[in-house]
Amino acid sequence: GYLEKDAIRGNDTFVTFDEIMKQAVQNEVDFVLLGGDLFHDNKPSRKTMHCCMEVMRKYCMGDRPIVFEILSDQAVNFSHSKFPWVNYLDSNLNISIPVFSVHGNHDDPTGADGLCAIDLLSCAGLINHFGRSRSVEKLEISPVLLKKGNTRIALYGIGSIPDERLYRMFINNQVTMLRPREDEDGWFNLFVIHQNRSKHGATNYIPEQFLDDFLDLVVWGHEHECKIAPVRNEQQLFYVTQPGSSVITSLSPGEAVKKHIGLLRVKGKKMNLQKIPLQTVRQFFIQDVTLSEHPDLFSPEQPNVMLKVMAFCQEKVEEMLEEAERQRLGNSLTPEKPLIRLRVDYSGGFEAFNTMRFSQKFVDQVANPKEILHFIRHREAKDNIKGKETPPQNENFVINHITPCRSKTVKALFVFGTQFKIFWMKTRSIKGMKVIVRILHLPSDVQSRLYKATGTLSVSEKNE
Amino acid sequence: GYLEKDAIRGNDTFVTFDEIMKQAVQNEVDFVLLGGDLFHDNKPSRKTMHCCMEVMRKYCMGDRPIVFEILSDQAVNFSHSKFPWVNYLDSNLNISIPVFSVHGNHDDPTGADGLCAIDLLSCAGLINHFGRSRSVEKLEISPVLLKKGNTRIALYGIGSIPDERLYRMFINNQVTMLRPREDEDGWFNLFVIHQNRSKHGATNYIPEQFLDDFLDLVVWGHEHECKIAPVRNEQQLFYVTQPGSSVITSLSPGEAVKKHIGLLRVKGKKMNLQKIPLQTVRQFFIQDVTLSEHPDLFSPEQPNVMLKVMAFCQEKVEEMLEEAERQRLGNSLTPEKPLIRLRVDYSGGFEAFNTMRFSQKFVDQVANPKEILHFIRHREAKDNIKGKETPPQNENFVINHITPCRSKTVKALFVFGTQFKIFWMKTRSIKGMKVIVRILHLPSDVQSRLYKATGTLSVSEKNE
């Protein structure tokens, strides 16, 4: 329900949530896993709650059979619920896609009853809220144990906890992840966490090193930047996927990264995460300009310098708008008006100008006309927008090459996938899966890691 | 969710809602009909919404088959819903008791989306919200047509509308109740309305005479006093039942009337409404004292008169507390602390005293210690508490006599039932139904009406 009262952007979250759940249906997933913050507000509006329930009832109910079992004690997994069992085993509900979720920091439990927004969905039988702890001193995480065929997943979760508190619990050895007694190593261990991943201070984030090394994949919620391709933590030897938010809530570079959801396939201990780009997410372009870097165009002493700067900025915005239109071409699902941000470093004697008049020019083309320009001084190097100094982004790569991929290569591909856009074709199992890759540019360091890792994977730079 | 944050009374509404729905299950009703104001607040708290959904999911879902059909176009009846069909016909929901409700004035639709609190329940598949109009000028009420065996019910409803507006619509002939084309007279016509029934001004109530005379029974919501036994409107020749609120929201005489729900049985055009007393409703005793009526006890000129008055009031409260305890005896469902109100008319030179000290004495025995005493001057005659000038209340009658009752007598019994406590034994049909009556006191005027009306009903004053 972010910005739900905005005339232009008000429905963005709902539309994209609909797209995501529709993807879940189309891909015939066994379940949907949410990393928290399904809601932006602790007390979502009636409209938001209504939209959310509507989407879930529409897509998560139906006759498609659910073929995985739950082996753990559901009364433990869902002990805080009034209906402490997984929704698809409730004989009164015809669930086709169970949704599992931890709560986030935006929709965490509050009040005397310790209820949170997703508990309403849980009570309505639309969500399975897990990873909830009663203690603030000690965590004992009992996994939801899922079994389908020979594949068994131990699903661990911790709903959002203030970072400092959880950090302290980890430091004091008060976080225990229980493991199934039988065939301990036969499980695929999946962990969902909703905390700061990037360091915001000494103890208000959770270092990946804190997490148990028996884990196979960590789904990291909370962080908004989409870094969904699993990254291997070389110390702990697990992978971390950070799906990111499905809606842009701040006009910062992290949100400009193309939004994806992940389709995770697990077979035995092997996994594969397919990135699915979201079509309905509003485009967001951000660019930095430093006025003092253009001495040929203007200097602070010039008469009418402000008009020149304004024209320059206008040109930059128009460039971004053109790029947005070009990328949007043929995609009817993407909203027409993009989000545009131009950060103008006006240090060196320049003056900021009134952005109101400037905004007026773009009121019909831009979703955030009042917030296009952002005047700053002395941009620090570290805050530079990606795509300049950072490695090339997904957007630089298009797919055209098809090659069979053996299961042995799967892990390697995640490393690869962190830097390049890779699509997995939909197949039933990891074996025999196809991957389509076209590489337009491949930095040498990545290339070497790639070839080292992939083994039998063949990557081609040729066009078809 | 009335007073949900009150330490003593906070759970009253939830407990009684649970009792009501449990009664629905125990009585194997075909459906539950609510007259609006399921919620006290337009935006119910999370706790309230959660409790409500919990109760409904617990009692309204299950394997008991539903044996009535819907003959009307559900897309019309529930046109404002995202799931415009009755919940029990949704193949994804295993509904055992469908709930039909109009919205009340407390939970009416608001905001740009025109959603109301019960729409969340509707979206969750727990309620069937009907009687909603899109126009503010004109009402065309299309009934929900229900059929079970040979009995057909046309269920009409109007969700709460500002009284003046609805009054004007009626005056301007803008309210149309559509009737089924086939066999128009073969239907039992049931109408649910949520408006002022008692006159609050020239046009801010709805006179019963406004309603179509083809109706058989009007269920009148909104009014809090329980007048559930159907009263015949001699002009329109329909009956009106006013269930009243299930929780006491004001310390006024109307709320002191014992709370009931009604179990309506309809066969063909015949009906029978069984009053079911609610066990979990907090007791409420209200009494008036007029200090100037006790010249033998105290006069304004006496020294220490205030202490004497206080002792007198204390004695009255203790009497009510004793009576409450006596009546509560053996009923473990009734909350221990009753609501007590003593209205003290101190006109004639007396002075009010500080109620704080007085309240302290009853803090462990009374649910509303701070509001026990209410000082007033010159009580008007019309506001006298019932039980003094009004006919004897239900509480005066206990049941002990069993007599078979033929269907012909049913209508007459409602007249009778407005003044006396009558229980219908649970039977499958109106014919052969049994009624148990013990009459301890029977005012002569009522007796004559009774005998005139009942025909074959035998009423006995004897104890068994």
Side-chain angles (χ1 to χ4, degrees):
Chain A
Y2 174 73
L3 272 193
E4 61 179 284
K5 290 187 176 165
D6 187 285
I8 301 169
R9 300 160 71 185
N11 279 320
D12 284 7
T13 52
F14 310 127
V15 170
T16 300
F17 185 52
D18 191 279
E19 180 190 5
I20 292 170
M21 297 309 290
K22 196 183 279 175
Q23 280 284 357
V25 172
Q26 287 170 350
N27 285 289
E28 299 181 346
V29 301
D30 290 303
F31 61 88
V32 169
L33 183 58
L34 301 178
D37 283 356
L38 176 59
F39 297 104
H40 183 74
D41 295 304
N42 186 281
K43 288 177 184 163
S45 73
R46 178 146 69 212
K47 179 192 170 188
T48 298
M49 189 55 81
H50 193 270
C51 280
C52 182
M53 292 207 294
E54 180 196 342
V55 168
M56 295 185 91
R57 183 170 165 195
K58 189 164 68 172
Y59 294 116
C60 301
M61 300 191 104
D63 286 334
R64 201 172 66 89
I66 288 168
V67 290
F68 69 88
E69 295 167 71
I70 304 244
L71 303 181
S72 51
D73 184 350
Q74 297 170 50
V76 172
N77 297 145
F78 311 108
S79 61
H80 56 280
S81 171
K82 296 288 182 180
F83 302 91
W85 49 81
V86 71
N87 64 348
Y88 79 86
L89 292 176
D90 190 308
S91 57
N92 294 326
L93 301 167
N94 198 28
I95 300 292
S96 53
I97 302 181
V99 178
F100 293 90
S101 184
V102 300
H103 58 266
N105 58 314
H106 282 257
D107 51 9
D108 62 328
T110 52
D113 298 273
L115 291 172
C116 64
I118 59 172
D119 286 332
L120 286 183
L121 300 175
S122 156
C123 194
L126 294 169
I127 213 167
N128 301 292
H129 178 195
F130 75 112
R132 195 155 162 198
S133 166
R134 295 192 185 280
S135 165
V136 294
E137 299 292 327
K138 196 180 162 91
L139 279 188
E140 209 166 62
I141 310 169
S142 199
V144 184
L145 300 177
L146 316 170
K147 181 174 187 294
K148 180 181 178 182
N150 291 324
T151 298
R152 288 171 300 171
I153 296 180
L155 175 59
Y156 297 83
I158 303 181
S160 174
I161 293 177
D163 285 299
E164 274 93 351
R165 189 194 296 162
L166 184 57
Y167 192 100
R168 199 170 53 239
M169 284 196 251
F170 271 113
I171 290 289
N172 296 337
N173 248 330
Q174 294 299 310
V175 182
T176 315
M177 298 181 95
L178 303 174
R179 302 189 63 185
R181 278 204 199 92
E182 281 173 41
D183 192 16
E184 195 177 77
D185 297 326
W187 295 80
F188 182 87
N189 298 296
L190 180 56
F191 177 47
V192 186
I193 184 169
H194 188 101
Q195 303 290 148
N196 281 336
R197 187 179 176 197
S198 49
K199 198 168 175 172
H200 289 262
T203 62
N204 67 353
Y205 78 113
I206 304 300
E208 291 178 12
Q209 279 63 19
F210 280 9
L211 307 182
D212 270 299
D213 60 5
F214 75 85
L215 293 172
D216 295 291
L217 178 65
V218 176
V219 177
W220 207 295
H222 186 58
E223 301 282 356
H224 279 217
E225 184 170 345
C226 179
K227 297 179 174 174
I228 201 163
V231 176
R232 185 174 163 95
N233 182 308
E234 296 295 347
Q235 188 177 335
Q236 302 298 85
L237 302 179
F238 53 59
Y239 286 81
V240 181
T241 172
Q242 179 179 305
S245 69
S246 59
V247 64
I248 291 153
T249 63
S250 72
L251 301 174
S252 61
E255 297 273 30
V257 176
K258 174 95 179 138
K259 304 287 189 189
H260 290 79
I261 49 171
L263 177 57
L264 179 71
R265 292 190 180 81
V266 177
K267 186 169 186 180
K269 289 283 279 181
K270 296 165 194 158
M271 68 168 179
N272 152 33
L273 195 136
Q274 171 186 341
K275 287 173 70 173
I276 299 177
L278 292 171
Q279 307 295 329
T280 59
V281 175
R282 197 173 288 278
Q283 295 168 297
F284 173 35
F285 289 85
I286 181 166
Q287 208 178 322
D288 285 351
V289 292
T290 304
L291 299 186
S292 57
E293 287 175 2
H294 300 274
D296 49 322
L297 292 178
F298 30 65
S299 75
E301 295 79 26
Q302 259 178 308
N304 292 328
V305 60
M306 210 180 266
L307 284 178
K308 285 192 175 182
V309 170
M310 209 185 281
F312 179 77
C313 291
Q314 191 174 331
E315 198 182 307
K316 291 285 172 197
V317 170
E318 278 161 3
E319 274 171 29
M320 286 192 274
L321 278 172
E322 276 165 32
E323 177 61 17
E325 196 176 347
R326 203 184 60 73
Q327 289 188 19
R328 201 169 59 240
L329 212 68
N331 192 339
S332 61
L333 297 175
T334 308
E336 274 195 10
K337 296 181 184 175
L339 296 162
I340 298 287
R341 181 69 137 187
L342 188 66
R343 301 197 293 194
V344 182
D345 185 343
Y346 67 117
S347 49
F350 291 94
E351 277 177 38
F353 53 83
N354 186 344
T355 61
M356 286 303 289
R357 271 185 58 203
F358 188 87
S359 298
Q360 278 301 319
K361 296 195 180 83
F362 298 103
V363 78
D364 291 332
Q365 296 165 273
V366 171
N368 60 323
K370 290 182 184 166
E371 299 170 301
I372 298 174
L373 289 182
H374 183 42
F375 287 98
I376 46 170
R377 281 181 190 273
H378 299 300
R379 166 150 310 287
E380 288 167 24
K382 68 161 185 171
D383 196 21
N384 256 316
I385 297 174
K386 293 181 184 180
K388 282 186 167 179
E389 280 92 19
T390 53
Q393 288 308 293
N394 294 334
E395 281 67 29
N396 295 327
F397 301 91
V398 189
I399 285 153
N400 81 339
H401 184 82
I402 303 181
T403 177
C405 162
R406 298 272 159 251
S407 54
K408 273 198 169 179
T409 69
V410 172
K411 280 211 170 183
L413 277 168
F414 297 123
V415 179
F416 180 68
T418 57
Q419 311 239 8
F420 303 100
K421 193 170 192 170
I422 295 187
F423 281 101
W424 299 95
M425 293 299 284
K426 198 173 154 269
T427 56
R428 281 282 160 193
S429 72
I430 287 176
K431 278 184 195 168
M433 197 170 35
K434 291 171 181 173
V435 57
I436 320 171
V437 190
R438 180 213 271 168
I439 296 175
L440 299 178
H441 172 71
L442 194 65
S444 56
D445 62 319
V446 176
Q447 196 156 23
S448 65
R449 282 167 63 200
L450 173 75
Y451 279 102
K452 186 180 158 211
T454 52
T456 59
L457 175 71
S458 125
V459 177
S460 162
E461 281 187 69
K462 291 177 299 186
N463 284 352
E464 272 180 293
Chain B
Y2 175 72
L3 273 191
E4 62 179 283
K5 291 188 173 163
D6 187 286
I8 301 170
R9 301 161 71 185
N11 280 320
D12 285 7
T13 52
F14 310 126
V15 169
T16 300
F17 184 52
D18 191 281
E19 180 190 7
I20 292 169
M21 296 309 291
K22 195 183 277 174
Q23 280 283 358
V25 173
Q26 287 170 351
N27 286 288
E28 298 181 345
V29 300
D30 290 302
F31 62 89
V32 168
L33 183 58
L34 300 178
D37 283 356
L38 176 58
F39 297 104
H40 184 72
D41 295 305
N42 186 280
K43 288 177 183 161
S45 72
R46 179 146 66 214
K47 179 190 170 189
T48 297
M49 190 54 81
H50 194 270
C51 280
C52 182
M53 291 206 296
E54 181 196 343
V55 167
M56 296 185 91
R57 182 170 164 194
K58 189 164 68 173
Y59 294 116
C60 301
M61 299 191 106
D63 285 335
R64 201 172 67 88
I66 288 167
V67 289
F68 70 88
E69 295 167 70
I70 305 245
L71 303 181
S72 50
D73 183 351
Q74 297 170 51
V76 172
N77 296 147
F78 310 109
S79 62
H80 56 280
S81 170
K82 296 286 182 180
F83 303 91
W85 49 81
V86 72
N87 64 347
Y88 79 87
L89 291 178
D90 190 309
S91 58
N92 294 326
L93 302 167
N94 198 27
I95 301 292
S96 53
I97 302 180
V99 178
F100 293 90
S101 184
V102 297
H103 58 266
N105 58 315
H106 282 257
D107 51 11
D108 62 330
T110 52
D113 297 273
L115 291 171
C116 64
I118 60 172
D119 285 332
L120 286 182
L121 300 175
S122 157
C123 193
L126 294 169
I127 213 168
N128 301 293
H129 178 194
F130 75 113
R132 188 145 171 210
S133 168
R134 295 192 185 277
S135 165
V136 294
E137 297 294 327
K138 195 180 161 90
L139 280 187
E140 209 167 63
I141 311 169
S142 198
V144 184
L145 300 177
L146 317 169
K147 181 174 187 293
K148 180 180 178 183
N150 292 323
T151 298
R152 288 170 299 171
I153 296 179
L155 175 59
Y156 297 82
I158 304 182
S160 175
I161 293 177
D163 285 299
E164 274 92 353
R165 188 192 298 161
L166 184 56
Y167 192 99
R168 198 170 54 239
M169 284 196 253
F170 271 113
I171 290 288
N172 296 336
N173 248 331
Q174 293 300 310
V175 182
T176 315
M177 298 180 96
L178 303 175
R179 301 188 64 185
R181 278 202 200 93
E182 282 172 39
D183 193 15
E184 195 178 77
D185 297 325
W187 295 79
F188 182 86
N189 299 295
L190 180 56
F191 177 49
V192 186
I193 185 170
H194 188 101
Q195 302 291 148
N196 281 335
R197 187 180 177 196
S198 48
K199 197 168 175 171
H200 289 264
T203 63
N204 66 353
Y205 77 114
I206 304 300
E208 292 178 12
Q209 279 64 16
F210 280 8
L211 307 181
D212 270 299
D213 60 4
F214 74 85
L215 294 172
D216 295 291
L217 178 65
V218 176
V219 177
W220 208 294
H222 186 59
E223 301 282 356
H224 278 217
E225 183 169 346
C226 178
K227 295 178 175 175
I228 200 162
V231 176
R232 184 174 164 93
N233 181 307
E234 295 296 346
Q235 188 178 333
Q236 302 297 86
L237 300 180
F238 53 59
Y239 286 81
V240 181
T241 172
Q242 179 179 305
S245 69
S246 59
V247 63
I248 291 153
T249 64
S250 73
L251 301 174
S252 62
E255 295 272 31
V257 175
K258 174 93 178 139
K259 303 286 188 190
H260 290 79
I261 49 171
L263 178 56
L264 179 71
R265 291 189 180 82
V266 177
K267 185 168 187 181
K269 290 281 280 182
K270 296 166 194 159
M271 69 167 179
N272 152 32
L273 195 137
Q274 172 186 340
K275 287 173 71 174
I276 299 177
L278 292 170
Q279 307 295 328
T280 59
V281 175
R282 198 172 287 279
Q283 296 167 295
F284 173 36
F285 290 84
I286 181 167
Q287 207 176 325
D288 284 350
V289 292
T290 305
L291 298 185
S292 58
E293 286 175 1
H294 300 275
D296 48 321
L297 292 176
F298 30 64
S299 75
E301 296 79 26
Q302 259 177 308
N304 292 328
V305 60
M306 211 181 267
L307 285 178
K308 285 193 174 179
V309 170
M310 208 185 282
F312 178 77
C313 290
Q314 189 172 333
E315 196 182 305
K316 290 286 172 196
V317 171
E318 278 161 2
E319 274 173 28
M320 285 192 274
L321 278 171
E322 277 166 32
E323 177 60 16
E325 196 175 349
R326 202 183 61 73
Q327 289 188 19
R328 201 170 58 241
L329 212 68
N331 191 339
S332 61
L333 297 176
T334 308
E336 274 195 10
K337 295 181 185 177
L339 296 163
I340 298 288
R341 181 69 138 188
L342 188 67
R343 299 197 294 193
V344 183
D345 184 343
Y346 67 117
S347 49
F350 291 95
E351 278 178 36
F353 54 83
N354 186 342
T355 60
M356 286 303 289
R357 270 185 58 205
F358 188 88
S359 298
Q360 278 300 320
K361 296 195 179 84
F362 298 104
V363 78
D364 292 331
Q365 297 165 273
V366 172
N368 60 324
K370 289 182 183 166
E371 299 170 301
I372 298 174
L373 290 181
H374 183 42
F375 287 98
I376 45 171
R377 280 180 191 274
H378 300 300
R379 167 151 307 290
E380 287 166 26
K382 66 161 187 172
D383 195 22
N384 256 316
I385 297 175
K386 293 183 184 181
K388 283 186 165 177
E389 280 91 20
T390 54
Q393 289 307 293
N394 294 336
E395 281 67 30
N396 295 328
F397 300 91
V398 189
I399 284 155
N400 80 339
H401 183 80
I402 301 181
T403 176
C405 163
R406 299 270 158 251
S407 56
K408 273 201 167 179
T409 68
V410 172
K411 280 211 171 184
L413 278 165
F414 296 123
V415 180
F416 179 66
T418 56
Q419 311 241 8
F420 302 99
K421 195 171 191 170
I422 296 187
F423 282 101
W424 299 95
M425 293 298 285
K426 196 172 156 272
T427 56
R428 281 283 161 193
S429 74
I430 288 175
K431 277 184 196 168
M433 197 171 35
K434 291 170 182 173
V435 58
I436 322 171
V437 191
R438 180 213 271 168
I439 295 175
L440 300 178
H441 171 70
L442 193 64
S444 56
D445 63 318
V446 176
Q447 197 156 24
S448 65
R449 283 168 63 201
L450 173 74
Y451 281 102
K452 185 179 159 213
T454 53
T456 59
L457 175 70
S458 125
V459 178
S460 162
E461 283 189 68
K462 291 178 300 186
N463 285 352
E464 271 181 295

